[in-house]
């Protein structure tokens, strides 16, 4: 089931600013079950390797374009998890994500790559544009906005 951090307040005065991302970020977080080891910040996909159709919609694994079973991107893991653990996934909104390369500046569209990482979106790619950077990549991560996929 999804939980939402909806817009809590929007100051009416122009000189009032937000000081905490948690005050107003419109982020949607859903709980899934980890099908494999997941690192915090990993892009995750539905695990289409499951034989039970219902399980395909509740198990996630690191998104990986090298496998046909892990290309159904759903969001970014908030914390690390091992197989069988529950894992909270940001399915829409701002989150710190792992980037394999690229994302050298803000405003770079991203798509999934391998091992739960994002890379710069390539025009003509068959993969969806999944997120956009809000800052330059630092130490392999950056804050991104995840686009709601389903």
């Amino acid at each position: 089931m999804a939980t939402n951090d909806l817009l809590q307040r929007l100051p009416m005065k122009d000189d009032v600013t937000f000081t905490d991302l948690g005050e107003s970020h419109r982020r949607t977080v859903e709980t899934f079950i980890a099908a494999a080891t997941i690192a915090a910040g990993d892009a995750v996909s539905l695990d289409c390797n499951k034989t039970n159709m219902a399980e395909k919609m509740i198990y996630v694994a690191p998104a990986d374009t090298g496998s046909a079973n892990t290309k159904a991107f759903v969001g970014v893991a908030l914390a690390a998890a091992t197989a069988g653990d529950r894992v909270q996934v940001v399915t829409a909104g701002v989150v710190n994500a792992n980037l394999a390369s690229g994302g050298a500046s803000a405003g770079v569209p991203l798509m999934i790559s391998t091992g739960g990482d994002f890379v710069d979106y390539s025009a003509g790619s068959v993969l969806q544009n999944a997120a956009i950077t809000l800052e330059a990549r630092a130490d392999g991560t950056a804050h991104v906005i995840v686009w709601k996929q389903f």
Side-chain angles (χ1 to χ4, degrees):
M1 172 174 263
T3 57
N4 292 306
D5 290 326
L6 298 175
L7 185 65
Q8 299 299 315
R9 68 178 180 85
L10 184 59
M12 296 299 293
K13 297 179 181 177
D14 291 337
D15 61 341
V16 177
T17 61
F18 293 104
T19 57
D20 179 13
L21 180 65
E23 288 181 341
S24 178
H25 51 63
R26 299 182 183 195
R27 180 164 71 182
T28 304
V29 177
E30 295 190 35
T31 302
F32 293 88
I33 300 172
T37 300
I38 296 171
D42 273 357
V44 296
S45 164
L46 296 174
D47 184 6
C48 297
N49 191 47
K50 296 291 184 188
T51 54
N52 179 296
M53 291 300 159
E55 288 182 347
K56 290 179 189 281
M57 297 301 292
I58 61 171
Y59 281 85
V60 293
D64 194 329
T65 55
S67 169
N69 293 317
T70 53
K71 291 183 181 179
F73 172 76
V74 292
V76 175
L78 279 174
T82 58
D85 289 348
R86 294 186 192 279
V87 59
Q88 289 192 309
V89 176
V90 174
T91 58
V94 178
V95 65
N96 198 40
N98 299 327
L99 281 68
S101 61
S105 61
V108 176
L110 302 171
M111 63 184 189
I112 60 171
S113 180
T114 58
D117 289 335
F118 285 105
V119 293
D120 292 358
Y121 181 77
S122 298
S125 173
V126 296
L127 297 170
Q128 71 263 42
N129 181 341
I132 190 166
T133 57
L134 292 175
E135 62 191 2
R137 181 176 86 116
D139 298 325
T141 67
H143 283 94
V144 304
I145 296 175
V146 173
W147 308 130
K148 182 77 172 173
Q149 300 294 317
F150 67 97

